[in-house]
């Protein structure tokens, strides 16, 4: 269980479901990929705003285990965009003190993309000002299933006692094992769903659903949400000290 906090919570870890790129492009009579490109630009601005807002961890949902169901053109375009993003942003991320990690199942991703992801993680591993986690081919249920598989293998080889397995044990096998749980999860575009994002980790997170489409989401929107969050009471199932 997380420790009880005071009434004014700090959004140390913010997770974002960046939704609405397709609708944003459609409103401009452009292909969906145009919206994803505009969305990628917003990521940079939000990452840059994190230090002054006290956000040390930012996790963004870039591609879900369900997104493979989109057209081949859109999937291929997104994969290309991820590679382009890594190549064009790497130097800036290193200089800005950002430590980048990727979560999700890499097995289905093309080798060149996985190579770039590994290299960016390595290049930024000494940084700690902001921890940016990018979820690619990520699904919360898939993550728990993969973690359970690895745990079962350790039990089978005798390095894990099944009777010792508790919440902390499972958390150590998740992709997010180095991250604190998110304090706040934001979803843009007016949809009020969590879509398989950080299912285990967001058990006690606050949610904020905003109508703005992701390519229109500004640093000011982000600041306002963080400020509102600071005024919320978080009880983690317990009571606030009076
Ligand atoms: C959801 O909008 C968005 C995605 C599936 C892709 C998210 C990707 C980016 C923001 C760009 C790349 C990010 C990085 C980190 C480089 P949607 O397509 O479902 O929009 P819609 O609901 O309006 O159709």
């Amino acid at each position: 269980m997380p420790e009880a906090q005071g009434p004014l919570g700090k959004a140390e870890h913010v997770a974002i479901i960046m939704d609405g790129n397709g609708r944003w492009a459609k409103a401009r009579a452009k292909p969906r990929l145009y919206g994803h490109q505009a969305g990628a630009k917003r990521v940079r601005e939000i990452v840059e705003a994190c230090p002054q807002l006290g956000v040390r961890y930012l996790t963004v949902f870039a591609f879900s285990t369900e997104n493979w169901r989109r057209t081949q053109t859109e999937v291929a375009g997104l994969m290309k965009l991820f590679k382009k993003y890594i190549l064009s942003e790497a130097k800036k991320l290193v200089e800005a003190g950002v430590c980048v990690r990727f979560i999700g199942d890499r097995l289905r991703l093309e080798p060149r993309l996985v190579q770039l992801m590994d290299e960016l993680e390595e290049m930024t591993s000494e940084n700690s000002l902001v921890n940016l986690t990018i979820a690619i081919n990520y699904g919360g249920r898939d993550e728990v299933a993969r973690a359970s598989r690895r745990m079962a293998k350790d039990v089978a080889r005798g390095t894990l006692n099944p009777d010792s397995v508790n919440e902390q044990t499972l958390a150590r096998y998740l992709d997010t094992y180095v991250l604190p749980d998110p304090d706040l999860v934001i979803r843009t575009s007016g949809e009020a769903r969590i879509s398989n994002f950080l299912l285990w980790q967001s058990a006690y997170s606050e949610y904020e659903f905003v109508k703005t489409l992701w390519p229109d989401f500004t640093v000011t929107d982000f600041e306002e949400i963080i400020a509102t969050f600071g005024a919320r009471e978080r009880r983690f199932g317990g009571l606030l000290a009076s």
Side-chain angles (χ1 to χ4, degrees), residues 21-35 37:
N21 297 347
R23 276 163 282 170
W24 186 89
K26 196 175 174 201
R28 287 158 182 77
K30 297 278 190 187
R32 295 177 58 81
L33 215 52
Y34 183 75
Q37 284 158 353

Side-chain angles (χ1 to χ4, degrees), residues 53-124:
L53 295 173
V55 176
R56 288 200 53 222
Y57 295 85
L58 179 76
T59 300
V60 294
F61 205 0
F63 193 89
S64 77
T65 45
E66 290 71 38
N67 285 153
W68 297 105
R69 293 185 204 138
R70 297 191 174 196
T71 64
Q72 211 264 331
T73 311
E74 184 171 354
V75 170
L78 277 166
M79 296 301 147
K80 200 170 162 194
L81 180 61
F82 297 147
K83 286 183 281 186
K84 209 174 123 196
Y85 178 85
I86 295 174
L87 286 166
S88 66
E89 295 293 305
K91 194 162 170 274
K92 285 169 225 147
L93 289 163
V94 173
E95 286 167 6
V98 180
C99 174
V100 183
R101 296 183 185 90
F102 293 91
I103 56 170
D105 188 355
R106 299 181 191 203
L107 285 179
R108 200 172 164 183
L109 301 176
E110 55 176 282
R112 174 64 180 148
L113 174 58
V114 175
Q115 184 196 354
L116 290 171
M117 288 159 61
D118 288 341
E119 283 170 10
L120 185 60
E121 284 185 333
E122 173 61 30
M123 277 170 78
T124 61

